[in-house]
Amino acid sequence: MPRIHLVSNLPGVNALGDHLRAAGLGPTSARSADALLVLIDRPLDHVEQDLLDRARQSVPVLLAGPTVRSLSPDSPLIEASGLTPGRVTPAYELRLLAGPDGAGLAARLGSFAPRDSWIIPDKVAEDVERLLMVRHEMGEHPICTWRPATGLGVFTLGNGQDIVADPRYQRLVGRWLRHALGASDAPPVKVGLVGAPDVFGVHIAALGAVEGLDLAALCDGGMAAPGTDVDRLARRVDDPDDLVNDPELGLIVVATPTHTHVEWARRALEAGKQVVVHPPICLSTPELDELTQLAASRSRLLAAYPEGLVDPAHQAMRAAVRRGDIGGLMWVEVFAGGLRRPAGTWHDDERISGGLLSDRGTALLEQVLDLVDDQVEWVSAAGHKRVWHHVSNADHARVLLRFAGGCEAQVTISDVAAGLRSGSQLVGTEGTLLRSDRPRLPAGASSVPADDPPFLPDGQPLLVAHDGRRTTLPTDPADPARFHRELADHLVSGWPLANRRAERTRLLVSVLDAARRSAAAGGAQVAPA
Protein backbone atom coordinates (compact mmCIF):
# COMPACT_ATOMS: atom_id res chain seq x y z
CA MET A 1 0.00 0.00 0.00
CA PRO A 2 1.32 3.52 -0.79
CA ARG A 3 2.33 5.66 2.17
CA ILE A 4 2.33 9.44 2.46
CA HIS A 5 4.14 11.94 4.63
CA LEU A 6 2.00 14.80 5.96
CA VAL A 7 3.59 18.20 6.65
CA SER A 8 1.24 20.60 8.42
CA ASN A 9 0.84 23.08 11.24
CA LEU A 10 -2.93 23.54 10.84
CA PRO A 11 -5.45 22.79 13.61
CA GLY A 12 -7.64 19.80 12.85
CA VAL A 13 -5.05 18.12 10.66
CA ASN A 14 -4.80 15.14 13.02
CA ALA A 15 -8.25 14.03 11.83
CA LEU A 16 -6.98 14.12 8.25
CA GLY A 17 -3.96 12.07 9.21
CA ASP A 18 -6.15 9.52 10.99
CA HIS A 19 -8.38 9.21 7.93
CA LEU A 20 -5.46 8.70 5.56
CA ARG A 21 -3.96 6.14 7.91
CA ALA A 22 -7.24 4.22 8.05
CA ALA A 23 -7.36 4.28 4.24
CA GLY A 24 -3.90 2.73 4.05
CA LEU A 25 -2.17 5.95 2.93
CA GLY A 26 0.04 6.66 5.91
CA PRO A 27 1.20 8.91 7.39
CA THR A 28 4.82 7.78 7.46
CA SER A 29 8.26 9.39 7.56
CA ALA A 30 9.41 11.77 4.84
CA ARG A 31 12.27 9.50 3.84
CA SER A 32 10.09 6.41 3.22
CA ALA A 33 7.05 8.21 1.79
CA ASP A 34 5.57 7.48 -1.63
CA ALA A 35 3.98 10.97 -1.69
CA LEU A 36 4.26 14.21 0.28
CA LEU A 37 1.19 16.21 1.35
CA VAL A 38 1.77 19.77 2.56
CA LEU A 39 -0.79 21.94 4.38
CA ILE A 40 1.00 24.86 5.94
CA ASP A 41 0.34 28.58 6.40
CA ARG A 42 3.92 29.86 6.58
CA PRO A 43 6.85 30.08 4.14
CA LEU A 44 8.59 26.80 3.45
CA ASP A 45 12.02 28.44 3.00
CA HIS A 46 14.78 25.81 2.67
CA VAL A 47 12.22 22.97 2.50
CA GLU A 48 11.18 24.05 -1.02
CA GLN A 49 14.28 22.60 -2.64
CA ASP A 50 13.85 19.33 -0.73
CA LEU A 51 10.30 19.06 -2.04
CA LEU A 52 11.41 19.69 -5.62
CA ASP A 53 14.12 17.05 -5.28
CA ARG A 54 11.59 14.49 -4.09
CA ALA A 55 9.24 15.36 -6.95
CA ARG A 56 12.09 14.75 -9.41
CA GLN A 57 12.52 11.34 -7.76
CA SER A 58 8.91 10.44 -8.76
CA VAL A 59 7.52 11.16 -5.30
CA PRO A 60 4.37 13.27 -5.85
CA VAL A 61 4.31 16.55 -3.91
CA LEU A 62 0.82 17.92 -3.22
CA LEU A 63 0.33 21.45 -1.89
CA ALA A 64 -3.05 21.90 -0.18
CA GLY A 65 -5.00 24.52 1.76
CA PRO A 66 -3.08 27.77 2.42
CA THR A 67 0.29 26.40 1.26
CA VAL A 68 0.41 28.07 -2.16
CA ARG A 69 -0.64 31.47 -0.85
CA SER A 70 2.17 31.23 1.72
CA LEU A 71 4.83 30.86 -1.00
CA SER A 72 6.62 33.79 -2.61
CA PRO A 73 5.59 34.60 -6.21
CA ASP A 74 9.02 33.49 -7.49
CA SER A 75 8.95 30.18 -5.62
CA PRO A 76 10.27 27.28 -7.73
CA LEU A 77 7.34 25.23 -6.43
CA ILE A 78 4.93 27.69 -8.06
CA GLU A 79 6.74 27.37 -11.38
CA ALA A 80 6.84 23.57 -11.15
CA SER A 81 3.13 23.33 -10.35
CA GLY A 82 2.20 25.05 -13.63
CA LEU A 83 -0.36 27.21 -11.82
CA THR A 84 0.27 30.94 -11.45
CA PRO A 85 -1.72 32.18 -8.43
CA GLY A 86 -3.91 35.25 -8.77
CA ARG A 87 -6.16 36.90 -6.24
CA VAL A 88 -7.58 35.19 -3.18
CA THR A 89 -11.38 35.26 -2.92
CA PRO A 90 -13.34 35.89 0.28
CA ALA A 91 -14.82 32.79 1.89
CA TYR A 92 -18.12 31.68 0.39
CA GLU A 93 -19.97 28.44 -0.33
CA LEU A 94 -18.22 26.59 -3.10
CA ARG A 95 -19.90 24.27 -5.59
CA LEU A 96 -17.21 21.86 -6.72
CA LEU A 97 -17.38 20.49 -10.27
CA ALA A 98 -15.53 17.67 -11.98
CA GLY A 99 -12.75 19.01 -14.17
CA PRO A 100 -11.82 17.63 -17.62
CA ASP A 101 -9.42 15.18 -15.94
CA GLY A 102 -11.23 14.68 -12.66
CA ALA A 103 -14.15 12.32 -13.20
CA GLY A 104 -12.69 9.80 -10.76
CA LEU A 105 -11.87 12.44 -8.17
CA ALA A 106 -15.40 13.88 -8.25
CA ALA A 107 -17.18 10.51 -8.18
CA ARG A 108 -19.72 10.31 -5.35
CA LEU A 109 -19.02 13.92 -4.39
CA GLY A 110 -22.64 14.37 -3.33
CA SER A 111 -23.80 17.65 -1.85
CA PHE A 112 -20.43 18.71 -0.41
CA ALA A 113 -20.38 22.52 -0.70
CA PRO A 114 -17.68 23.81 1.69
CA ARG A 115 -17.43 27.43 2.72
CA ASP A 116 -13.87 28.55 2.07
CA SER A 117 -11.67 31.02 0.25
CA TRP A 118 -9.58 29.93 -2.73
CA ILE A 119 -7.10 31.23 -5.29
CA ILE A 120 -8.21 32.26 -8.75
CA PRO A 121 -5.26 31.32 -11.01
CA ASP A 122 -3.92 33.89 -13.42
CA LYS A 123 -2.46 31.23 -15.68
CA VAL A 124 -2.54 27.43 -15.93
CA ALA A 125 0.01 25.52 -18.01
CA GLU A 126 -1.39 23.37 -20.82
CA ASP A 127 -0.01 20.13 -19.38
CA VAL A 128 -1.70 20.64 -15.98
CA GLU A 129 -4.56 18.24 -15.27
CA ARG A 130 -7.65 20.09 -14.07
CA LEU A 131 -9.30 17.77 -11.53
CA LEU A 132 -11.81 19.93 -9.66
CA MET A 133 -13.26 23.23 -10.80
CA VAL A 134 -15.20 26.14 -9.31
CA ARG A 135 -17.59 28.28 -11.33
CA HIS A 136 -16.86 31.94 -10.63
CA GLU A 137 -17.65 35.20 -12.44
CA MET A 138 -19.00 33.56 -15.60
CA GLY A 139 -16.08 31.14 -15.86
CA GLU A 140 -14.77 27.86 -14.49
CA HIS A 141 -11.42 27.79 -12.71
CA PRO A 142 -9.35 24.90 -11.36
CA ILE A 143 -9.17 24.49 -7.60
CA CYS A 144 -7.44 21.09 -7.63
CA THR A 145 -4.71 20.19 -10.15
CA TRP A 146 -1.97 17.67 -10.90
CA ARG A 147 1.01 18.12 -13.23
CA PRO A 148 2.50 14.73 -14.15
CA ALA A 149 5.55 16.26 -15.86
CA THR A 150 6.88 17.78 -12.62
CA GLY A 151 5.12 15.66 -9.98
CA LEU A 152 3.41 18.70 -8.38
CA GLY A 153 -0.25 19.16 -7.46
CA VAL A 154 -2.21 22.06 -5.99
CA PHE A 155 -5.51 22.04 -4.06
CA THR A 156 -6.36 25.47 -2.67
CA LEU A 157 -9.33 24.20 -0.63
CA GLY A 158 -8.74 23.44 3.05
CA ASN A 159 -7.92 26.71 4.81
CA GLY A 160 -10.02 26.22 7.96
CA GLN A 161 -10.17 23.64 10.72
CA ASP A 162 -13.78 22.69 10.01
CA ILE A 163 -13.03 21.82 6.38
CA VAL A 164 -9.81 19.94 7.11
CA ALA A 165 -11.69 17.84 9.69
CA ASP A 166 -14.63 17.14 7.35
CA PRO A 167 -14.62 13.48 6.17
CA ARG A 168 -15.78 14.57 2.72
CA TYR A 169 -12.73 16.83 2.32
CA GLN A 170 -10.51 14.07 3.66
CA ARG A 171 -11.83 11.64 1.05
CA LEU A 172 -11.14 14.20 -1.70
CA VAL A 173 -7.56 14.59 -0.50
CA GLY A 174 -7.21 10.82 -0.42
CA ARG A 175 -8.50 10.51 -3.98
CA TRP A 176 -6.14 13.30 -5.08
CA LEU A 177 -3.24 11.34 -3.57
CA ARG A 178 -4.36 8.15 -5.30
CA HIS A 179 -4.66 10.00 -8.61
CA ALA A 180 -1.13 11.33 -8.29
CA LEU A 181 0.11 7.82 -7.45
CA GLY A 182 -1.68 6.33 -10.44
CA ALA A 183 -4.05 4.22 -8.33
CA SER A 184 -7.49 3.46 -9.74
CA ASP A 185 -10.80 2.31 -8.29
CA ALA A 186 -12.04 -1.26 -8.43
CA PRO A 187 -14.95 -2.00 -10.80
CA PRO A 188 -18.48 -1.20 -9.59
CA VAL A 189 -19.94 -3.67 -7.11
CA LYS A 190 -23.05 -5.57 -8.16
CA VAL A 191 -25.67 -5.45 -5.43
CA GLY A 192 -28.45 -7.85 -4.50
CA LEU A 193 -31.38 -6.64 -2.40
CA VAL A 194 -33.52 -9.01 -0.38
CA GLY A 195 -36.43 -7.72 1.64
CA ALA A 196 -39.82 -6.13 1.95
CA PRO A 197 -40.90 -3.31 -0.40
CA ASP A 198 -41.98 -1.05 2.48
CA VAL A 199 -38.41 -1.19 3.84
CA PHE A 200 -36.05 -1.35 0.89
CA GLY A 201 -37.33 1.71 -0.99
CA VAL A 202 -34.61 3.95 0.46
CA HIS A 203 -31.96 1.52 -0.75
CA ILE A 204 -33.37 1.26 -4.27
CA ALA A 205 -33.37 5.04 -4.66
CA ALA A 206 -29.84 5.40 -3.27
CA LEU A 207 -28.36 2.52 -5.26
CA GLY A 208 -29.79 4.03 -8.42
CA ALA A 209 -28.05 7.34 -7.67
CA VAL A 210 -24.61 6.22 -6.47
CA GLU A 211 -21.75 5.52 -8.84
CA GLY A 212 -19.89 2.34 -7.94
CA LEU A 213 -22.91 0.36 -6.70
CA ASP A 214 -25.10 -1.34 -9.31
CA LEU A 215 -28.41 -2.85 -8.21
CA ALA A 216 -28.39 -6.11 -10.17
CA ALA A 217 -30.88 -8.45 -8.50
CA LEU A 218 -33.82 -8.23 -6.13
CA CYS A 219 -35.89 -10.69 -4.14
CA ASP A 220 -39.03 -9.31 -2.50
CA GLY A 221 -40.82 -12.55 -1.72
CA GLY A 222 -43.61 -11.65 -4.12
CA MET A 223 -44.66 -8.70 -1.95
CA ALA A 224 -44.25 -6.14 -4.75
CA ALA A 225 -46.50 -6.25 -7.78
CA PRO A 226 -44.79 -7.16 -11.09
CA GLY A 227 -44.32 -4.31 -13.53
CA THR A 228 -43.24 -1.77 -10.91
CA ASP A 229 -40.29 0.60 -11.34
CA VAL A 230 -38.05 -1.99 -9.68
CA ASP A 231 -38.36 -4.24 -12.73
CA ARG A 232 -36.48 -1.69 -14.81
CA LEU A 233 -33.60 -1.55 -12.34
CA ALA A 234 -32.90 -5.16 -11.43
CA ARG A 235 -33.83 -8.70 -12.34
CA ARG A 236 -36.20 -10.44 -9.96
CA VAL A 237 -35.12 -13.56 -8.08
CA ASP A 238 -37.80 -15.80 -6.59
CA ASP A 239 -35.69 -17.66 -4.03
CA PRO A 240 -33.67 -15.50 -1.60
CA ASP A 241 -31.15 -18.33 -1.20
CA ASP A 242 -30.41 -18.10 -4.94
CA LEU A 243 -29.82 -14.36 -4.56
CA VAL A 244 -27.31 -14.54 -1.69
CA ASN A 245 -25.40 -17.31 -3.50
CA ASP A 246 -25.29 -15.55 -6.87
CA PRO A 247 -21.57 -15.41 -7.79
CA GLU A 248 -22.01 -12.14 -9.71
CA LEU A 249 -23.13 -10.23 -6.61
CA GLY A 250 -20.56 -8.67 -4.30
CA LEU A 251 -22.88 -6.94 -1.83
CA ILE A 252 -26.16 -8.06 -0.28
CA VAL A 253 -28.51 -5.56 1.35
CA VAL A 254 -30.77 -7.30 3.89
CA ALA A 255 -34.05 -5.42 4.33
CA THR A 256 -36.25 -8.34 5.33
CA PRO A 257 -38.64 -8.42 8.31
CA THR A 258 -36.58 -8.00 11.47
CA HIS A 259 -36.78 -11.54 12.83
CA THR A 260 -34.97 -12.87 9.72
CA HIS A 261 -32.08 -10.36 9.67
CA VAL A 262 -29.63 -12.69 11.39
CA GLU A 263 -30.50 -15.63 9.14
CA TRP A 264 -30.00 -13.79 5.86
CA ALA A 265 -26.99 -11.80 7.02
CA ARG A 266 -25.36 -15.06 8.11
CA ARG A 267 -26.15 -16.79 4.80
CA ALA A 268 -24.78 -13.87 2.82
CA LEU A 269 -21.56 -13.75 4.84
CA GLU A 270 -21.12 -17.51 4.47
CA ALA A 271 -21.49 -17.02 0.72
CA GLY A 272 -18.59 -14.54 0.80
CA LYS A 273 -20.63 -11.37 0.32
CA GLN A 274 -20.26 -7.91 1.80
CA VAL A 275 -23.40 -7.28 3.87
CA VAL A 276 -25.47 -4.24 4.84
CA VAL A 277 -28.52 -4.75 7.07
CA HIS A 278 -31.43 -2.37 7.45
CA PRO A 279 -31.85 -1.55 11.17
CA PRO A 280 -32.14 -3.03 13.63
CA ILE A 281 -29.32 -5.29 12.50
CA CYS A 282 -30.47 -7.85 15.10
CA LEU A 283 -32.20 -8.01 18.48
CA SER A 284 -29.45 -9.16 20.86
CA THR A 285 -25.75 -8.61 21.41
CA PRO A 286 -24.90 -12.35 21.22
CA GLU A 287 -26.44 -12.43 17.73
CA LEU A 288 -24.45 -9.37 16.68
CA ASP A 289 -21.22 -10.77 18.12
CA GLU A 290 -21.79 -13.99 16.18
CA LEU A 291 -22.29 -12.10 12.91
CA THR A 292 -19.31 -9.82 13.60
CA GLN A 293 -17.02 -12.79 14.20
CA LEU A 294 -18.28 -14.48 11.04
CA ALA A 295 -17.65 -11.33 8.98
CA ALA A 296 -14.14 -10.98 10.42
CA SER A 297 -13.34 -14.63 9.67
CA ARG A 298 -14.37 -14.12 6.04
CA SER A 299 -12.73 -10.64 5.78
CA ARG A 300 -16.08 -9.19 4.82
CA LEU A 301 -17.95 -6.04 5.71
CA LEU A 302 -20.94 -6.20 8.05
CA ALA A 303 -22.64 -2.81 8.46
CA ALA A 304 -25.98 -1.44 9.57
CA TYR A 305 -27.66 1.30 7.56
CA PRO A 306 -27.63 4.38 9.85
CA GLU A 307 -31.32 5.23 9.45
CA GLY A 308 -31.40 7.68 12.34
CA LEU A 309 -28.36 9.69 11.26
CA VAL A 310 -29.33 10.71 7.72
CA ASP A 311 -31.89 13.28 8.88
CA PRO A 312 -30.67 16.88 8.25
CA ALA A 313 -32.44 18.22 11.36
CA HIS A 314 -30.67 15.67 13.55
CA GLN A 315 -27.34 16.60 11.96
CA ALA A 316 -28.01 20.27 12.73
CA MET A 317 -28.88 19.48 16.35
CA ARG A 318 -25.82 17.29 16.74
CA ALA A 319 -23.60 20.08 15.39
CA ALA A 320 -25.19 22.54 17.84
CA VAL A 321 -24.52 20.18 20.76
CA ARG A 322 -20.91 19.68 19.66
CA ARG A 323 -20.42 23.46 19.38
CA GLY A 324 -21.66 23.88 22.94
CA ASP A 325 -24.68 25.99 21.92
CA ILE A 326 -26.75 24.66 24.86
CA GLY A 327 -23.87 24.05 27.24
CA GLY A 328 -23.65 20.71 29.00
CA LEU A 329 -26.36 18.29 27.93
CA MET A 330 -28.63 17.21 30.81
CA TRP A 331 -31.83 15.78 29.32
CA VAL A 332 -32.94 14.43 25.93
CA GLU A 333 -36.60 13.62 25.30
CA VAL A 334 -38.00 12.15 22.08
CA PHE A 335 -41.63 11.36 21.33
CA ALA A 336 -42.95 9.63 18.21
CA GLY A 337 -46.50 8.62 17.42
CA GLY A 338 -49.97 9.91 18.22
CA LEU A 339 -53.45 8.42 18.24
CA ARG A 340 -53.50 5.89 15.42
CA ARG A 341 -54.89 2.46 14.72
CA PRO A 342 -52.08 0.12 13.65
CA ALA A 343 -52.50 -1.27 10.16
CA GLY A 344 -51.78 -4.84 11.21
CA THR A 345 -48.73 -5.45 9.01
CA TRP A 346 -45.66 -7.43 10.09
CA HIS A 347 -44.35 -4.24 11.69
CA ASP A 348 -47.12 -4.56 14.30
CA ASP A 349 -46.38 -8.21 15.09
CA GLU A 350 -44.01 -8.43 18.05
CA ARG A 351 -42.71 -11.86 17.02
CA ILE A 352 -41.61 -10.52 13.61
CA SER A 353 -40.69 -6.88 14.26
CA GLY A 354 -39.17 -7.35 17.70
CA GLY A 355 -41.76 -5.05 19.23
CA LEU A 356 -42.68 -1.38 19.16
CA LEU A 357 -39.32 -0.09 20.45
CA SER A 358 -37.35 -2.24 18.04
CA ASP A 359 -39.43 -1.47 14.95
CA ARG A 360 -39.97 2.26 15.40
CA GLY A 361 -37.51 3.19 18.12
CA THR A 362 -34.21 2.01 16.66
CA ALA A 363 -33.59 5.17 14.60
CA LEU A 364 -34.60 7.39 17.53
CA LEU A 365 -32.29 5.60 19.96
CA GLU A 366 -29.53 5.83 17.37
CA GLN A 367 -29.99 9.60 17.33
CA VAL A 368 -29.87 9.78 21.14
CA LEU A 369 -26.64 7.80 21.27
CA ASP A 370 -25.20 10.07 18.58
CA LEU A 371 -26.11 13.17 20.59
CA VAL A 372 -24.81 11.95 23.96
CA ASP A 373 -21.24 10.77 23.52
CA ASP A 374 -21.00 8.97 26.84
CA GLN A 375 -21.21 5.52 28.38
CA VAL A 376 -24.72 4.18 29.06
CA GLU A 377 -24.95 3.10 32.71
CA TRP A 378 -28.40 1.54 32.63
CA VAL A 379 -31.61 1.22 30.65
CA SER A 380 -35.17 1.03 31.94
CA ALA A 381 -38.11 0.24 29.65
CA ALA A 382 -41.84 -0.40 29.95
CA GLY A 383 -44.77 -1.00 27.63
CA HIS A 384 -48.58 -0.96 27.82
CA LYS A 385 -50.94 -3.25 25.92
CA ARG A 386 -54.52 -2.04 26.57
CA VAL A 387 -56.13 -0.62 23.44
CA TRP A 388 -55.23 -2.16 20.06
CA HIS A 389 -55.88 -5.88 20.58
CA HIS A 390 -55.82 -6.80 16.88
CA VAL A 391 -52.00 -6.54 16.93
CA SER A 392 -49.36 -7.87 19.34
CA ASN A 393 -47.06 -4.85 19.57
CA ALA A 394 -47.40 -2.64 22.63
CA ASP A 395 -49.72 0.36 22.34
CA HIS A 396 -47.35 2.64 24.23
CA ALA A 397 -43.69 2.11 25.16
CA ARG A 398 -40.90 4.13 26.63
CA VAL A 399 -37.21 3.59 27.36
CA LEU A 400 -35.08 5.66 29.76
CA LEU A 401 -31.30 5.82 29.49
CA ARG A 402 -28.90 6.99 32.19
CA PHE A 403 -25.42 8.04 31.06
CA ALA A 404 -22.24 7.98 33.14
CA GLY A 405 -21.90 11.78 33.07
CA GLY A 406 -25.39 12.30 34.51
CA CYS A 407 -27.34 13.04 31.33
CA GLU A 408 -30.63 11.20 30.94
CA ALA A 409 -32.63 10.46 27.79
CA GLN A 410 -36.15 9.17 27.24
CA VAL A 411 -37.67 7.83 24.03
CA THR A 412 -41.45 7.31 23.95
CA ILE A 413 -43.41 5.72 21.11
CA SER A 414 -47.17 5.58 21.22
CA ASP A 415 -50.21 4.69 19.16
CA VAL A 416 -52.64 6.01 21.80
CA ALA A 417 -51.26 9.46 22.71
CA ALA A 418 -53.86 11.84 21.28
CA GLY A 419 -52.97 15.51 20.98
CA LEU A 420 -49.19 15.04 21.08
CA ARG A 421 -46.91 15.82 18.21
CA SER A 422 -43.75 13.90 17.39
CA GLY A 423 -40.55 15.73 18.18
CA SER A 424 -37.63 16.09 20.53
CA GLN A 425 -36.09 18.45 23.03
CA LEU A 426 -32.55 18.70 24.35
CA VAL A 427 -32.04 20.53 27.64
CA GLY A 428 -28.61 21.91 28.46
CA THR A 429 -27.02 24.14 31.05
CA GLU A 430 -27.21 27.18 28.73
CA GLY A 431 -30.26 26.55 26.56
CA THR A 432 -32.68 24.14 24.94
CA LEU A 433 -33.01 22.67 21.46
CA LEU A 434 -36.53 21.90 20.20
CA ARG A 435 -37.76 20.08 17.15
CA SER A 436 -41.26 19.11 16.04
CA ASP A 437 -42.18 16.79 13.18
CA ARG A 438 -45.35 16.05 11.31
CA PRO A 439 -46.35 12.44 11.98
CA ARG A 440 -45.33 9.79 9.46
CA LEU A 441 -48.04 7.13 9.38
CA PRO A 442 -47.50 3.47 8.58
CA ALA A 443 -49.31 2.26 5.47
CA GLY A 444 -53.01 1.83 6.22
CA ALA A 445 -52.87 3.52 9.62
CA SER A 446 -55.24 6.32 10.56
CA SER A 447 -54.41 9.21 12.88
CA VAL A 448 -55.93 12.12 14.76
CA PRO A 449 -53.53 15.03 14.01
CA ALA A 450 -52.23 17.19 16.82
CA ASP A 451 -52.40 20.98 16.67
CA ASP A 452 -49.14 22.53 15.50
CA PRO A 453 -47.28 24.65 18.08
CA PRO A 454 -47.34 28.11 16.49
CA PHE A 455 -43.75 28.96 17.45
CA LEU A 456 -42.01 25.86 16.11
CA PRO A 457 -41.46 25.45 12.34
CA ASP A 458 -42.04 21.92 11.09
CA GLY A 459 -38.88 19.82 11.28
CA GLN A 460 -36.65 22.87 11.80
CA PRO A 461 -34.58 22.83 15.02
CA LEU A 462 -35.09 25.82 17.30
CA LEU A 463 -32.45 26.97 19.79
CA VAL A 464 -33.81 28.77 22.85
CA ALA A 465 -31.05 30.29 24.98
CA HIS A 466 -31.47 30.99 28.68
CA ASP A 467 -31.47 34.72 27.96
CA GLY A 468 -34.60 34.28 25.81
CA ARG A 469 -32.97 34.47 22.38
CA ARG A 470 -34.49 32.14 19.80
CA THR A 471 -32.60 30.97 16.74
CA THR A 472 -33.85 28.66 14.02
CA LEU A 473 -30.97 26.43 13.00
CA PRO A 474 -30.29 26.03 9.27
CA THR A 475 -30.29 22.50 7.90
CA ASP A 476 -28.57 21.05 4.88
CA PRO A 477 -30.64 19.51 2.08
CA ALA A 478 -31.66 15.92 2.71
CA ASP A 479 -29.05 13.48 1.43
CA PRO A 480 -30.48 9.95 1.79
CA ALA A 481 -27.70 8.46 -0.37
CA ARG A 482 -24.81 9.70 1.77
CA PHE A 483 -24.25 6.35 3.47
CA HIS A 484 -24.37 4.52 0.14
CA ARG A 485 -21.74 6.88 -1.31
CA GLU A 486 -19.50 6.21 1.68
CA LEU A 487 -20.17 2.52 1.22
CA ALA A 488 -19.16 2.73 -2.44
CA ASP A 489 -16.01 4.63 -1.47
CA HIS A 490 -15.18 1.82 0.93
CA LEU A 491 -15.81 -1.02 -1.48
CA VAL A 492 -14.26 0.39 -4.67
CA SER A 493 -11.64 2.81 -3.26
CA GLY A 494 -10.79 1.30 0.11
CA TRP A 495 -11.78 4.35 2.16
CA PRO A 496 -12.84 3.64 5.74
CA LEU A 497 -16.44 3.98 6.80
CA ALA A 498 -17.32 6.55 9.46
CA ASN A 499 -15.27 6.35 12.63
CA ARG A 500 -16.62 4.04 15.35
CA ARG A 501 -19.50 2.80 13.18
CA ALA A 502 -19.12 -0.82 14.32
CA GLU A 503 -18.75 0.29 17.94
CA ARG A 504 -21.87 2.45 17.70
CA THR A 505 -23.83 -0.36 16.08
CA ARG A 506 -23.01 -2.69 18.96
CA LEU A 507 -23.94 -0.02 21.52
CA LEU A 508 -27.31 0.48 19.82
CA VAL A 509 -28.04 -3.26 19.77
CA SER A 510 -26.97 -3.59 23.40
CA VAL A 511 -29.36 -0.78 24.43
CA LEU A 512 -32.24 -2.41 22.52
CA ASP A 513 -31.38 -5.75 24.14
CA ALA A 514 -31.27 -4.14 27.59
CA ALA A 515 -34.61 -2.42 26.97
CA ARG A 516 -36.23 -5.73 26.03
CA ARG A 517 -34.91 -7.40 29.18
CA SER A 518 -35.90 -4.42 31.34
CA ALA A 519 -39.48 -4.40 30.02
CA ALA A 520 -39.75 -8.14 30.73
CA ALA A 521 -38.56 -7.46 34.29
CA GLY A 522 -41.12 -4.72 34.96
CA GLY A 523 -38.88 -1.74 34.18
CA ALA A 524 -35.80 -2.85 36.12
CA GLN A 525 -32.56 -0.99 35.47
CA VAL A 526 -30.43 -3.14 33.14
CA ALA A 527 -26.84 -2.38 32.14
CA PRO A 528 -26.15 -2.88 28.43
CA ALA A 529 -23.92 -5.90 27.73
Side-chain angles (χ1 to χ4, degrees):
M1 296 292 290
R3 310 286 284 178
I4 64 99
H5 177 64
L6 178 60
V7 180
S8 181
N9 67 335
L10 302 184
V13 77
N14 288 340
L16 173 59
D18 290 344
H19 177 86
L20 296 174
R21 183 182 295 108
L25 290 171
T28 187
S29 65
R31 183 176 298 275
S32 61
D34 299 296
L36 302 176
L37 175 62
V38 184
L39 291 94
I40 200 164
D41 61 0
R42 62 188 181 211
L44 292 171
D45 299 328
H46 65 280
V47 179
E48 291 191 30
Q49 189 58 50
D50 293 338
L51 294 176
L52 282 173
D53 290 343
R54 295 304 300 276
R56 294 189 184 104
Q57 298 166 7
S58 300
V59 176
V61 175
L62 306 181
L63 311 177
T67 306
V68 168
R69 69 180 70 177
S70 301
L71 301 175
S72 63
D74 59 351
S75 166
L77 288 174
I78 295 292
E79 181 180 356
S81 73
L83 187 148
T84 304
R87 61 186 175 90
V88 178
T89 72
Y92 67 95
E93 190 174 85
L94 302 175
R95 301 290 178 179
L96 305 181
L97 309 170
D101 308 292
L105 198 71
R108 300 177 296 278
L109 185 60
S111 59
F112 183 42
R115 182 178 179 82
D116 201 1
S117 61
W118 60 289
I119 297 174
I120 301 176
D122 283 340
K123 185 178 180 181
V124 181
E126 292 185 358
D127 63 341
V128 170
E129 295 180 353
R130 296 161 172 83
L131 305 178
L132 291 176
M133 312 287 285
V134 173
R135 186 173 289 115
H136 181 76
E137 294 179 351
M138 306 300 291
E140 293 184 356
H141 308 274
I143 193 172
C144 180
T145 63
W146 168 243
R147 193 180 194 188
T150 60
L152 263 292
V154 172
F155 192 8
T156 56
L157 179 66
N159 299 284
Q161 180 175 353
D162 290 343
I163 294 177
V164 172
D166 192 311
R168 293 169 294 183
Y169 174 75
Q170 294 163 6
R171 285 199 299 276
L172 281 178
V173 171
R175 291 181 189 172
W176 184 37
L177 280 162
R178 282 169 52 91
H179 180 89
L181 291 165
S184 58
D185 285 349
V189 176
K190 292 187 179 297
V191 183
L193 179 57
V194 55
D198 60 342
V199 177
F200 61 46
V202 62
H203 300 288
I204 290 177
L207 291 170
V210 172
E211 182 180 348
L213 298 177
D214 293 341
L215 179 58
L218 179 145
C219 179
D220 58 22
M223 289 184 282
T228 61
D229 290 342
V230 175
D231 292 325
R232 296 198 300 270
L233 301 174
R235 58 182 170 85
R236 287 181 178 269
V237 178
D238 294 331
D239 188 339
D241 197 55
D242 290 341
L243 184 138
V244 299
N245 287 288
D246 188 332
E248 293 187 355
L249 303 180
L251 169 68
I252 301 296
V253 178
V254 178
T256 58
T258 305
H259 73 310
T260 64
H261 282 182
V262 174
E263 174 188 0
W264 290 112
R266 182 192 298 115
R267 291 195 187 191
L269 289 169
E270 289 173 345
K273 311 301 185 185
Q274 318 282 2
V275 177
V276 169
V277 184
H278 197 85
I281 191 170
C282 56
L283 298 176
S284 71
T285 46
E287 290 176 329
L288 179 60
D289 291 341
E290 175 198 346
L291 290 176
T292 301
Q293 292 171 9
L294 177 59
S297 70
R298 303 298 176 95
S299 299
R300 289 297 180 262
L301 169 75
L302 173 69
Y305 173 63
E307 182 182 22
L309 308 186
V310 299
D311 177 36
H314 167 74
Q315 295 169 7
M317 295 177 77
R318 181 187 186 276
V321 171
R322 294 293 185 269
R323 288 193 304 266
D325 289 356
I326 61 171
L329 195 56
M330 299 187 296
W331 172 254
V332 179
E333 185 170 3
V334 182
F335 171 78
L339 177 59
R340 63 187 70 186
R341 188 181 192 277
T345 68
W346 67 263
H347 293 280
D348 304 310
D349 188 331
E350 187 174 23
R351 297 166 301 174
I352 299 177
S353 68
L356 190 63
L357 283 175
S358 171
D359 188 68
R360 286 159 54 191
T362 299
L364 304 178
L365 285 167
E366 185 175 33
Q367 291 177 350
V368 168
L369 296 174
D370 192 46
L371 291 167
V372 188
D373 188 13
D374 199 2
Q375 179 182 352
V376 180
E377 285 191 336
W378 53 259
V379 176
S380 173
H384 297 273
K385 184 63 190 169
R386 306 186 184 187
V387 180
W388 305 119
H389 298 295
H390 66 292
V391 297
S392 57
N393 270 5
D395 305 320
H396 181 98
R398 68 104 182 117
V399 57
L400 177 66
L401 285 71
R402 171 77 179 189
F403 293 88
C407 181
E408 293 181 313
Q410 179 170 281
V411 173
T412 304
I413 303 171
S414 180
D415 285 331
V416 294
L420 296 182
R421 183 175 178 181
S422 297
S424 56
Q425 57 179 324
L426 283 60
V427 180
T429 56
E430 297 179 14
T432 298
L433 277 169
L434 302 169
R435 174 189 172 182
S436 183
D437 297 318
R438 297 193 183 280
R440 300 174 183 175
L441 302 183
S446 57
S447 173
V448 178
D451 292 335
D452 291 350
F455 63 92
L456 196 56
D458 179 55
Q460 199 81 7
L462 180 69
L463 171 63
V464 183
H466 284 176
D467 62 6
R469 288 180 294 114
R470 293 186 174 187
T471 306
T472 300
L473 300 182
T475 57
D476 293 330
D479 187 9
R482 179 169 178 175
F483 167 78
H484 297 80
R485 280 197 301 274
E486 293 177 1
L487 180 64
D489 277 342
H490 176 70
L491 296 178
V492 304
S493 301
W495 302 133
L497 289 174
N499 291 338
R500 301 175 64 190
R501 176 158 282 150
E503 177 185 338
R504 291 293 181 135
T505 297
R506 193 183 191 282
L507 176 59
L508 175 59
V509 171
S510 69
V511 167
L512 286 167
D513 194 3
R516 176 182 54 81
R517 290 183 283 129
S518 172
Q525 296 176 3
V526 177

